[in-house]
Amino acid sequence: MLDALIQLARTYRRFDASYLVDETVLLRLVNLARLSPSSGNKQAIRFAPVNDPADCDAIFESLLWAYSLPDWPGPAREERPTAYIVLLRDDALGADVSHDAGIAAWSMVLGATERGLGACIFASADQDRFRKILSLPPTMSVELVLAVGKPVEEVVLEEMLPGESFEYWRDEANSHHVPKRRLEDVLWNYEQDTPNPDN
Ligand SMILES: Cc1cc2nc3c(=O)[nH]c(=O)nc-3n(C[C@H](O)[C@H](O)[C@H](O)COP(=O)(O)O)c2cc1C
């Protein structure tokens, strides 16, 4: 079950912009993040759920979409996500939240996927723009951003052989292809045959 969920929990960058993600769903996702592991149990991340259309427009412009697809300016208006959850670091709380943020974001990706939604994690965030959009005090900054919506794109996982590129790409039908290294290629000092990971 978890295997299937993780297979499905891909990064999506094209959504149905007519599908509005309501606040209750966003709060449920934040609740999953809240229950996730935290270094020293400091729980120093703060979460800003956003589904107001004007704020979503502003956030859309404050992210770098698909670094490996330089000719793609990001989703067209009718394919933009309708919600975001911004993971915030507060220096006043004095904790390094970077590991916690990754774990929290992944919990929310899984929660979104289980609800038939899709998500994209962003580390690229224009801090100055976010400061204005979310009225952040000087001690606070954006650690990660999660875009959430109803996905409309097909994502295909592909086996990546040693020496091949790790960059994702799109085909003529606009399907999104993501190379993943093989199990045997990510193991260190493991000499035996690897089991078939799909069994
Ligand atoms: C920490 C982190 C930061 C990321 N930042 C961005 C980003 O700024 N922009 C973007 O388009 N995708 C971003 N991604 C998505 C990755 O490109 C994506 O996870 C990768 O291509 C693999 O695809 P998959 O998630 O479907 O396995 C980020 C993912 C992670 C885990």
Side-chain angles (χ1 to χ4, degrees):
M1 260 164 49
L2 187 58
D3 293 42
L5 187 65
I6 288 178
Q7 287 274 340
L8 199 61
R10 304 275 48 91
T11 288
Y12 294 99
R13 298 185 183 83
R14 293 168 48 221
F15 303 90
D16 175 357
S18 69
Y19 184 93
L20 302 178
V21 180
D22 70 51
E23 199 166 317
T24 317
V25 171
L26 296 178
L27 295 183
R28 287 189 200 280
L29 297 182
V30 173
N31 198 45
L32 296 177
R34 179 181 73 85
L35 297 173
S36 298
S38 164
S39 171
N41 206 28
K42 295 192 183 108
Q43 305 167 66
I45 301 173
R46 295 296 171 263
F47 300 85
V50 177
N51 66 354
D52 171 76
D55 287 342
C56 286
D57 281 352
I59 289 180
F60 173 81
E61 302 292 346
S62 312
L63 300 169
L64 185 64
W65 292 80
Y67 187 76
S68 293
L69 303 173
D71 296 333
W72 186 61
R77 179 158 287 280
E78 62 277 10
E79 293 188 340
R80 291 185 185 169
T82 53
Y84 295 89
I85 297 172
V86 187
L87 288 74
L88 297 164
R89 165 212 302 261
D90 184 349
D91 291 338
L93 296 173
D96 177 359
V97 298
S98 53
H99 295 107
D100 286 15
I103 294 170
W106 183 233
S107 294
M108 295 193 287
V109 171
L110 292 177
T113 307
E114 196 185 35
R115 287 167 173 79
L117 300 173
C120 179
I121 300 171
F122 290 85
S124 61
D126 183 321
Q127 297 288 347
D128 290 338
R129 288 183 184 219
F130 272 95
R131 194 166 298 290
K132 287 195 191 109
I133 300 164
L134 299 176
S135 308
L136 300 177
T139 57
M140 292 186 79
S141 56
V142 175
E143 189 67 28
L144 288 176
V145 180
L146 195 72
V148 187
K150 191 84 174 166
V152 293
E153 68 180 336
E154 187 196 23
V155 179
V156 185
L157 287 186
E158 289 185 345
E159 189 174 83
M160 171 184 162
L161 298 175
E164 289 183 345
S165 171
F166 55 77
E167 292 195 80
Y168 48 84
W169 54 282
R170 298 247 170 101
D171 63 25
E172 317 74 53
N174 226 0
S175 291
H176 185 85
H177 296 256
V178 183
K180 291 288 183 189
R181 295 185 203 279
R182 301 176 304 178
L183 180 58
E184 57 263 51
D185 296 331
V186 299
L187 293 168
W188 180 253
N189 275 351
Y190 187 85
E191 304 298 342
Q192 296 151 56
D193 286 345
T194 51
N196 181 343
D198 297 324
N199 286 341

mmCIF file of all heavy atoms in Angstrom, residues 150-190:
data_model
loop_
_atom_site.group_PDB
_atom_site.id
_atom_site.type_symbol
_atom_site.label_atom_id
_atom_site.label_comp_id
_atom_site.label_asym_id
_atom_site.label_seq_id
_atom_site.Cartn_x
_atom_site.Cartn_y
_atom_site.Cartn_z
ATOM 1 N N LYS A 150 -5.207 19.649 -8.131
ATOM 2 C CA LYS A 150 -5.651 18.420 -8.798
ATOM 3 C C LYS A 150 -4.765 18.235 -10.031
ATOM 4 O O LYS A 150 -4.838 19.047 -10.970
ATOM 5 C CB LYS A 150 -7.122 18.604 -9.228
ATOM 6 C CG LYS A 150 -7.773 17.339 -9.683
ATOM 7 C CD LYS A 150 -8.285 16.596 -8.498
ATOM 8 C CE LYS A 150 -9.077 15.379 -8.895
ATOM 9 N NZ LYS A 150 -9.292 14.495 -7.742
ATOM 10 N N PRO A 151 -3.914 17.211 -10.045
ATOM 11 C CA PRO A 151 -2.971 17.107 -11.167
ATOM 12 C C PRO A 151 -3.657 16.772 -12.487
ATOM 13 O O PRO A 151 -4.640 16.033 -12.502
ATOM 14 C CB PRO A 151 -2.044 15.961 -10.762
ATOM 15 C CG PRO A 151 -2.497 15.457 -9.463
ATOM 16 C CD PRO A 151 -3.759 16.138 -9.078
ATOM 17 N N VAL A 152 -3.106 17.325 -13.579
ATOM 18 C CA VAL A 152 -3.632 16.981 -14.901
ATOM 19 C C VAL A 152 -2.526 16.440 -15.802
ATOM 20 O O VAL A 152 -2.707 16.348 -16.995
ATOM 21 C CB VAL A 152 -4.294 18.194 -15.608
ATOM 22 C CG1 VAL A 152 -5.554 18.623 -14.890
ATOM 23 C CG2 VAL A 152 -3.327 19.351 -15.757
ATOM 24 N N GLU A 153 -1.391 16.117 -15.211
ATOM 25 C CA GLU A 153 -0.316 15.620 -16.080
ATOM 26 C C GLU A 153 0.045 14.184 -15.749
ATOM 27 O O GLU A 153 -0.128 13.721 -14.618
ATOM 28 C CB GLU A 153 0.919 16.507 -16.022
ATOM 29 C CG GLU A 153 1.674 16.510 -14.736
ATOM 30 C CD GLU A 153 2.887 17.452 -14.806
ATOM 31 O OE1 GLU A 153 3.379 17.729 -15.909
ATOM 32 O OE2 GLU A 153 3.325 17.896 -13.742
ATOM 33 N N GLU A 154 0.545 13.507 -16.791
ATOM 34 C CA GLU A 154 1.021 12.141 -16.579
ATOM 35 C C GLU A 154 2.512 12.206 -16.267
ATOM 36 O O GLU A 154 3.269 12.895 -16.950
ATOM 37 C CB GLU A 154 0.810 11.308 -17.850
ATOM 38 C CG GLU A 154 1.129 9.848 -17.611
ATOM 39 C CD GLU A 154 1.320 9.055 -18.904
ATOM 40 O OE1 GLU A 154 1.638 9.651 -19.943
ATOM 41 O OE2 GLU A 154 1.156 7.832 -18.840
ATOM 42 N N VAL A 155 2.906 11.493 -15.219
ATOM 43 C CA VAL A 155 4.321 11.435 -14.860
ATOM 44 C C VAL A 155 4.776 9.986 -14.956
ATOM 45 O O VAL A 155 4.141 9.086 -14.400
ATOM 46 C CB VAL A 155 4.568 11.986 -13.435
ATOM 47 C CG1 VAL A 155 6.045 11.898 -13.078
ATOM 48 C CG2 VAL A 155 4.084 13.427 -13.321
ATOM 49 N N VAL A 156 5.863 9.774 -15.679
ATOM 50 C CA VAL A 156 6.365 8.414 -15.915
ATOM 51 C C VAL A 156 7.726 8.274 -15.253
ATOM 52 O O VAL A 156 8.635 9.066 -15.525
ATOM 53 C CB VAL A 156 6.523 8.166 -17.438
ATOM 54 C CG1 VAL A 156 6.933 6.733 -17.703
ATOM 55 C CG2 VAL A 156 5.251 8.536 -18.185
ATOM 56 N N LEU A 157 7.842 7.269 -14.385
ATOM 57 C CA LEU A 157 9.150 6.990 -13.791
ATOM 58 C C LEU A 157 9.927 6.093 -14.735
ATOM 59 O O LEU A 157 9.383 5.143 -15.290
ATOM 60 C CB LEU A 157 8.993 6.272 -12.450
ATOM 61 C CG LEU A 157 8.488 7.094 -11.274
ATOM 62 C CD1 LEU A 157 8.537 6.262 -10.000
ATOM 63 C CD2 LEU A 157 9.279 8.385 -11.110
ATOM 64 N N GLU A 158 11.209 6.392 -14.907
ATOM 65 C CA GLU A 158 12.031 5.602 -15.812
ATOM 66 C C GLU A 158 13.279 5.121 -15.124
ATOM 67 O O GLU A 158 13.790 5.803 -14.238
ATOM 68 C CB GLU A 158 12.431 6.452 -17.002
ATOM 69 C CG GLU A 158 11.243 6.697 -17.867
ATOM 70 C CD GLU A 158 11.599 7.439 -19.114
ATOM 71 O OE1 GLU A 158 12.700 8.003 -19.172
ATOM 72 O OE2 GLU A 158 10.754 7.435 -19.997
ATOM 73 N N GLU A 159 13.766 3.958 -15.573
ATOM 74 C CA GLU A 159 15.020 3.461 -15.023
ATOM 75 C C GLU A 159 16.177 4.278 -15.590
ATOM 76 O O GLU A 159 16.256 4.499 -16.789
ATOM 77 C CB GLU A 159 15.186 1.992 -15.417
ATOM 78 C CG GLU A 159 16.333 1.329 -14.730
ATOM 79 C CD GLU A 159 16.365 -0.163 -15.041
ATOM 80 O OE1 GLU A 159 16.898 -0.526 -16.092
ATOM 81 O OE2 GLU A 159 15.846 -0.942 -14.226
ATOM 82 N N MET A 160 17.041 4.694 -14.712
ATOM 83 C CA MET A 160 18.210 5.481 -15.137
ATOM 84 C C MET A 160 19.456 4.618 -15.005
ATOM 85 O O MET A 160 19.782 4.155 -13.914
ATOM 86 C CB MET A 160 18.294 6.699 -14.217
ATOM 87 C CG MET A 160 19.532 7.508 -14.363
ATOM 88 S SD MET A 160 19.476 8.817 -13.102
ATOM 89 C CE MET A 160 21.181 9.256 -13.091
ATOM 90 N N LEU A 161 20.139 4.405 -16.112
ATOM 91 C CA LEU A 161 21.345 3.578 -16.083
ATOM 92 C C LEU A 161 22.558 4.440 -15.729
ATOM 93 O O LEU A 161 22.527 5.661 -15.942
ATOM 94 C CB LEU A 161 21.542 2.903 -17.443
ATOM 95 C CG LEU A 161 20.406 1.958 -17.853
ATOM 96 C CD1 LEU A 161 20.619 1.423 -19.270
ATOM 97 C CD2 LEU A 161 20.270 0.809 -16.856
ATOM 98 N N PRO A 162 23.612 3.804 -15.179
ATOM 99 C CA PRO A 162 24.800 4.592 -14.814
ATOM 100 C C PRO A 162 25.291 5.410 -16.008
ATOM 101 O O PRO A 162 25.326 4.913 -17.136
ATOM 102 C CB PRO A 162 25.821 3.519 -14.424
ATOM 103 C CG PRO A 162 24.991 2.353 -13.984
ATOM 104 C CD PRO A 162 23.762 2.378 -14.838
ATOM 105 N N GLY A 163 25.616 6.649 -15.768
ATOM 106 C CA GLY A 163 26.114 7.527 -16.834
ATOM 107 C C GLY A 163 25.010 8.297 -17.544
ATOM 108 O O GLY A 163 25.289 9.272 -18.253
ATOM 109 N N GLU A 164 23.758 7.887 -17.367
ATOM 110 C CA GLU A 164 22.659 8.608 -18.011
ATOM 111 C C GLU A 164 22.285 9.854 -17.205
ATOM 112 O O GLU A 164 22.571 9.948 -16.009
ATOM 113 C CB GLU A 164 21.434 7.697 -18.166
ATOM 114 C CG GLU A 164 21.650 6.626 -19.222
ATOM 115 C CD GLU A 164 20.416 5.752 -19.449
ATOM 116 O OE1 GLU A 164 19.493 5.773 -18.602
ATOM 117 O OE2 GLU A 164 20.409 5.033 -20.448
ATOM 118 N N SER A 165 21.595 10.771 -17.869
ATOM 119 C CA SER A 165 21.244 12.034 -17.219
ATOM 120 C C SER A 165 20.143 11.850 -16.165
ATOM 121 O O SER A 165 19.226 11.060 -16.353
ATOM 122 C CB SER A 165 20.756 13.031 -18.274
ATOM 123 O OG SER A 165 20.225 14.184 -17.635
ATOM 124 N N PHE A 166 20.268 12.619 -15.100
ATOM 125 C CA PHE A 166 19.214 12.599 -14.067
ATOM 126 C C PHE A 166 18.127 13.639 -14.351
ATOM 127 O O PHE A 166 17.167 13.765 -13.606
ATOM 128 C CB PHE A 166 19.815 12.868 -12.676
ATOM 129 C CG PHE A 166 20.611 14.140 -12.601
ATOM 130 C CD1 PHE A 166 19.995 15.378 -12.521
ATOM 131 C CD2 PHE A 166 22.004 14.093 -12.625
ATOM 132 C CE1 PHE A 166 20.723 16.554 -12.461
ATOM 133 C CE2 PHE A 166 22.753 15.270 -12.573
ATOM 134 C CZ PHE A 166 22.109 16.502 -12.495
ATOM 135 N N GLU A 167 18.289 14.379 -15.432
ATOM 136 C CA GLU A 167 17.316 15.459 -15.677
ATOM 137 C C GLU A 167 15.990 14.940 -16.199
ATOM 138 O O GLU A 167 15.946 14.090 -17.090
ATOM 139 C CB GLU A 167 17.902 16.463 -16.664
ATOM 140 C CG GLU A 167 19.064 17.215 -16.044
ATOM 141 C CD GLU A 167 19.428 18.435 -16.840
ATOM 142 O OE1 GLU A 167 18.742 19.453 -16.700
ATOM 143 O OE2 GLU A 167 20.394 18.349 -17.597
ATOM 144 N N TYR A 168 14.922 15.437 -15.625
ATOM 145 C CA TYR A 168 13.593 15.058 -16.104
ATOM 146 C C TYR A 168 13.305 15.760 -17.424
ATOM 147 O O TYR A 168 13.932 16.781 -17.756
ATOM 148 C CB TYR A 168 12.530 15.367 -15.045
ATOM 149 C CG TYR A 168 12.609 16.744 -14.431
ATOM 150 C CD1 TYR A 168 12.033 17.846 -15.043
ATOM 151 C CD2 TYR A 168 13.281 16.960 -13.221
ATOM 152 C CE1 TYR A 168 12.104 19.108 -14.487
ATOM 153 C CE2 TYR A 168 13.371 18.226 -12.660
ATOM 154 C CZ TYR A 168 12.777 19.292 -13.299
ATOM 155 O OH TYR A 168 12.859 20.555 -12.762
ATOM 156 N N TRP A 169 12.375 15.210 -18.192
ATOM 157 C CA TRP A 169 12.107 15.761 -19.532
ATOM 158 C C TRP A 169 10.649 15.507 -19.913
ATOM 159 O O TRP A 169 9.958 14.732 -19.258
ATOM 160 C CB TRP A 169 13.056 15.137 -20.567
ATOM 161 C CG TRP A 169 13.051 13.633 -20.597
ATOM 162 C CD1 TRP A 169 13.683 12.798 -19.717
ATOM 163 C CD2 TRP A 169 12.356 12.789 -21.520
ATOM 164 N NE1 TRP A 169 13.436 11.489 -20.041
ATOM 165 C CE2 TRP A 169 12.632 11.440 -21.154
ATOM 166 C CE3 TRP A 169 11.548 13.022 -22.645
ATOM 167 C CZ2 TRP A 169 12.115 10.359 -21.851
ATOM 168 C CZ3 TRP A 169 11.035 11.938 -23.347
ATOM 169 C CH2 TRP A 169 11.332 10.621 -22.947
ATOM 170 N N ARG A 170 10.188 16.179 -20.949
ATOM 171 C CA ARG A 170 8.810 16.026 -21.439
ATOM 172 C C ARG A 170 8.837 15.494 -22.862
ATOM 173 O O ARG A 170 9.686 15.917 -23.658
ATOM 174 C CB ARG A 170 8.102 17.389 -21.453
ATOM 175 C CG ARG A 170 7.974 18.008 -20.068
ATOM 176 C CD ARG A 170 6.539 18.084 -19.624
ATOM 177 N NE ARG A 170 6.468 18.444 -18.216
ATOM 178 C CZ ARG A 170 6.183 19.677 -17.783
ATOM 179 N NH1 ARG A 170 5.917 20.629 -18.653
ATOM 180 N NH2 ARG A 170 6.131 19.920 -16.491
ATOM 181 N N ASP A 171 7.877 14.596 -23.192
ATOM 182 C CA ASP A 171 7.798 14.104 -24.575
ATOM 183 C C ASP A 171 6.801 14.938 -25.375
ATOM 184 O O ASP A 171 6.243 15.919 -24.872
ATOM 185 C CB ASP A 171 7.484 12.603 -24.591
ATOM 186 C CG ASP A 171 6.126 12.300 -23.991
ATOM 187 O OD1 ASP A 171 5.238 13.195 -23.990
ATOM 188 O OD2 ASP A 171 5.932 11.170 -23.513
ATOM 189 N N GLU A 172 6.558 14.552 -26.640
ATOM 190 C CA GLU A 172 5.688 15.334 -27.535
ATOM 191 C C GLU A 172 4.268 15.420 -26.988
ATOM 192 O O GLU A 172 3.546 16.396 -27.214
ATOM 193 C CB GLU A 172 5.614 14.734 -28.956
ATOM 194 C CG GLU A 172 6.934 14.267 -29.557
ATOM 195 C CD GLU A 172 7.435 12.978 -28.943
ATOM 196 O OE1 GLU A 172 6.659 12.000 -28.905
ATOM 197 O OE2 GLU A 172 8.594 12.944 -28.476
ATOM 198 N N ALA A 173 3.845 14.371 -26.260
ATOM 199 C CA ALA A 173 2.484 14.367 -25.700
ATOM 200 C C ALA A 173 2.434 15.104 -24.363
ATOM 201 O O ALA A 173 1.420 15.099 -23.675
ATOM 202 C CB ALA A 173 2.000 12.934 -25.531
ATOM 203 N N ASN A 174 3.550 15.740 -23.989
ATOM 204 C CA ASN A 174 3.648 16.500 -22.748
ATOM 205 C C ASN A 174 3.648 15.630 -21.492
ATOM 206 O O ASN A 174 3.373 16.127 -20.399
ATOM 207 C CB ASN A 174 2.527 17.551 -22.668
ATOM 208 C CG ASN A 174 3.082 18.895 -22.230
ATOM 209 O OD1 ASN A 174 4.282 19.023 -21.999
ATOM 210 N ND2 ASN A 174 2.211 19.878 -22.096
ATOM 211 N N SER A 175 3.903 14.324 -21.677
ATOM 212 C CA SER A 175 4.085 13.488 -20.480
ATOM 213 C C SER A 175 5.440 13.827 -19.868
ATOM 214 O O SER A 175 6.402 14.104 -20.586
ATOM 215 C CB SER A 175 4.052 11.999 -20.839
ATOM 216 O OG SER A 175 2.755 11.637 -21.223
ATOM 217 N N HIS A 176 5.482 13.790 -18.560
ATOM 218 C CA HIS A 176 6.686 14.192 -17.819
ATOM 219 C C HIS A 176 7.454 12.926 -17.415
ATOM 220 O O HIS A 176 6.885 12.044 -16.771
ATOM 221 C CB HIS A 176 6.241 14.992 -16.588
ATOM 222 C CG HIS A 176 7.357 15.563 -15.800
ATOM 223 N ND1 HIS A 176 7.946 16.778 -16.119
ATOM 224 C CD2 HIS A 176 8.003 15.116 -14.687
ATOM 225 C CE1 HIS A 176 8.898 17.043 -15.228
ATOM 226 N NE2 HIS A 176 8.948 16.045 -14.353
ATOM 227 N N HIS A 177 8.721 12.830 -17.794
ATOM 228 C CA HIS A 177 9.514 11.624 -17.526
ATOM 229 C C HIS A 177 10.571 11.915 -16.463
ATOM 230 O O HIS A 177 11.298 12.911 -16.580
ATOM 231 C CB HIS A 177 10.198 11.143 -18.801
ATOM 232 C CG HIS A 177 9.217 10.709 -19.859
ATOM 233 N ND1 HIS A 177 8.972 9.386 -20.144
ATOM 234 C CD2 HIS A 177 8.402 11.432 -20.665
ATOM 235 C CE1 HIS A 177 8.061 9.315 -21.104
ATOM 236 N NE2 HIS A 177 7.695 10.538 -21.440
ATOM 237 N N VAL A 178 10.631 11.028 -15.465
ATOM 238 C CA VAL A 178 11.563 11.237 -14.350
ATOM 239 C C VAL A 178 12.484 10.023 -14.220
ATOM 240 O O VAL A 178 12.044 8.936 -13.820
ATOM 241 C CB VAL A 178 10.798 11.445 -13.021
ATOM 242 C CG1 VAL A 178 11.777 11.725 -11.887
ATOM 243 C CG2 VAL A 178 9.798 12.573 -13.147
ATOM 244 N N PRO A 179 13.765 10.174 -14.563
ATOM 245 C CA PRO A 179 14.705 9.056 -14.406
ATOM 246 C C PRO A 179 14.995 8.799 -12.925
ATOM 247 O O PRO A 179 15.234 9.736 -12.170
ATOM 248 C CB PRO A 179 15.982 9.544 -15.118
ATOM 249 C CG PRO A 179 15.616 10.824 -15.803
ATOM 250 C CD PRO A 179 14.420 11.376 -15.093
ATOM 251 N N LYS A 180 14.968 7.538 -12.543
ATOM 252 C CA LYS A 180 15.335 7.162 -11.165
ATOM 253 C C LYS A 180 16.460 6.128 -11.230
ATOM 254 O O LYS A 180 16.387 5.158 -12.005
ATOM 255 C CB LYS A 180 14.123 6.550 -10.438
ATOM 256 C CG LYS A 180 13.005 7.541 -10.145
ATOM 257 C CD LYS A 180 13.368 8.522 -9.036
ATOM 258 C CE LYS A 180 12.205 9.459 -8.720
ATOM 259 N NZ LYS A 180 12.591 10.549 -7.809
ATOM 260 N N ARG A 181 17.459 6.322 -10.400
ATOM 261 C CA ARG A 181 18.562 5.364 -10.358
ATOM 262 C C ARG A 181 18.049 3.998 -9.925
ATOM 263 O O ARG A 181 17.090 3.903 -9.158
ATOM 264 C CB ARG A 181 19.634 5.830 -9.359
ATOM 265 C CG ARG A 181 20.317 7.104 -9.758
ATOM 266 C CD ARG A 181 21.452 7.444 -8.788
ATOM 267 N NE ARG A 181 21.738 8.866 -8.832
ATOM 268 C CZ ARG A 181 22.490 9.454 -9.769
ATOM 269 N NH1 ARG A 181 23.045 8.732 -10.707
ATOM 270 N NH2 ARG A 181 22.698 10.759 -9.742
ATOM 271 N N ARG A 182 18.733 2.944 -10.381
ATOM 272 C CA ARG A 182 18.333 1.580 -10.008
ATOM 273 C C ARG A 182 18.745 1.296 -8.564
ATOM 274 O O ARG A 182 19.672 1.912 -8.038
ATOM 275 C CB ARG A 182 18.996 0.565 -10.936
ATOM 276 C CG ARG A 182 18.658 0.754 -12.406
ATOM 277 C CD ARG A 182 19.436 -0.218 -13.260
ATOM 278 N NE ARG A 182 20.894 -0.100 -13.029
ATOM 279 C CZ ARG A 182 21.811 -0.847 -13.615
ATOM 280 N NH1 ARG A 182 21.442 -1.807 -14.460
ATOM 281 N NH2 ARG A 182 23.091 -0.685 -13.354
ATOM 282 N N LEU A 183 18.048 0.318 -7.976
ATOM 283 C CA LEU A 183 18.348 -0.057 -6.580
ATOM 284 C C LEU A 183 19.831 -0.395 -6.418
ATOM 285 O O LEU A 183 20.498 0.071 -5.483
ATOM 286 C CB LEU A 183 17.457 -1.247 -6.175
ATOM 287 C CG LEU A 183 17.625 -1.777 -4.759
ATOM 288 C CD1 LEU A 183 17.373 -0.687 -3.716
ATOM 289 C CD2 LEU A 183 16.681 -2.957 -4.512
ATOM 290 N N GLU A 184 20.373 -1.197 -7.353
ATOM 291 C CA GLU A 184 21.784 -1.596 -7.207
ATOM 292 C C GLU A 184 22.740 -0.407 -7.322
ATOM 293 O O GLU A 184 23.859 -0.453 -6.830
ATOM 294 C CB GLU A 184 22.173 -2.689 -8.212
ATOM 295 C CG GLU A 184 21.954 -2.339 -9.672
ATOM 296 C CD GLU A 184 20.635 -2.870 -10.209
ATOM 297 O OE1 GLU A 184 19.591 -2.613 -9.551
ATOM 298 O OE2 GLU A 184 20.639 -3.516 -11.264
ATOM 299 N N ASP A 185 22.299 0.658 -7.964
ATOM 300 C CA ASP A 185 23.189 1.811 -8.156
ATOM 301 C C ASP A 185 23.172 2.775 -6.979
ATOM 302 O O ASP A 185 24.020 3.678 -6.909
ATOM 303 C CB ASP A 185 22.802 2.563 -9.436
ATOM 304 C CG ASP A 185 23.002 1.696 -10.668
ATOM 305 O OD1 ASP A 185 23.882 0.814 -10.634
ATOM 306 O OD2 ASP A 185 22.267 1.881 -11.651
ATOM 307 N N VAL A 186 22.229 2.633 -6.083
ATOM 308 C CA VAL A 186 22.218 3.542 -4.920
ATOM 309 C C VAL A 186 22.766 2.868 -3.670
ATOM 310 O O VAL A 186 22.903 3.501 -2.619
ATOM 311 C CB VAL A 186 20.795 4.108 -4.626
ATOM 312 C CG1 VAL A 186 20.290 4.919 -5.822
ATOM 313 C CG2 VAL A 186 19.807 3.026 -4.250
ATOM 314 N N LEU A 187 23.093 1.554 -3.786
ATOM 315 C CA LEU A 187 23.643 0.851 -2.624
ATOM 316 C C LEU A 187 25.162 0.999 -2.597
ATOM 317 O O LEU A 187 25.818 0.941 -3.643
ATOM 318 C CB LEU A 187 23.263 -0.634 -2.697
ATOM 319 C CG LEU A 187 21.764 -0.916 -2.544
ATOM 320 C CD1 LEU A 187 21.465 -2.371 -2.924
ATOM 321 C CD2 LEU A 187 21.319 -0.646 -1.122
ATOM 322 N N TRP A 188 25.690 1.155 -1.417
ATOM 323 C CA TRP A 188 27.138 1.287 -1.252
ATOM 324 C C TRP A 188 27.708 -0.025 -0.727
ATOM 325 O O TRP A 188 27.178 -0.566 0.253
ATOM 326 C CB TRP A 188 27.431 2.420 -0.264
ATOM 327 C CG TRP A 188 28.883 2.647 -0.015
ATOM 328 C CD1 TRP A 188 29.600 2.339 1.104
ATOM 329 C CD2 TRP A 188 29.796 3.232 -0.939
ATOM 330 N NE1 TRP A 188 30.891 2.693 0.949
ATOM 331 C CE2 TRP A 188 31.056 3.257 -0.308
ATOM 332 C CE3 TRP A 188 29.687 3.737 -2.243
ATOM 333 C CZ2 TRP A 188 32.191 3.756 -0.931
ATOM 334 C CZ3 TRP A 188 30.826 4.244 -2.856
ATOM 335 C CH2 TRP A 188 32.055 4.248 -2.194
ATOM 336 N N ASN A 189 28.762 -0.534 -1.395
ATOM 337 C CA ASN A 189 29.431 -1.757 -0.933
ATOM 338 C C ASN A 189 28.476 -2.927 -0.778
ATOM 339 O O ASN A 189 28.533 -3.644 0.214
ATOM 340 C CB ASN A 189 30.133 -1.501 0.416
ATOM 341 C CG ASN A 189 31.520 -0.919 0.203
ATOM 342 O OD1 ASN A 189 32.005 -0.874 -0.931
ATOM 343 N ND2 ASN A 189 32.141 -0.481 1.277
ATOM 344 N N TYR A 190 27.583 -3.086 -1.701
ATOM 345 C CA TYR A 190 26.644 -4.204 -1.629
ATOM 346 C C TYR A 190 26.910 -5.091 -2.834
ATOM 347 O O TYR A 190 26.642 -4.710 -3.970
ATOM 348 C CB TYR A 190 25.205 -3.679 -1.644
ATOM 349 C CG TYR A 190 24.166 -4.753 -1.393
ATOM 350 C CD1 TYR A 190 23.823 -5.112 -0.098
ATOM 351 C CD2 TYR A 190 23.540 -5.399 -2.459
ATOM 352 C CE1 TYR A 190 22.883 -6.083 0.137
ATOM 353 C CE2 TYR A 190 22.588 -6.387 -2.225
ATOM 354 C CZ TYR A 190 22.268 -6.713 -0.931
ATOM 355 O OH TYR A 190 21.331 -7.693 -0.692
#
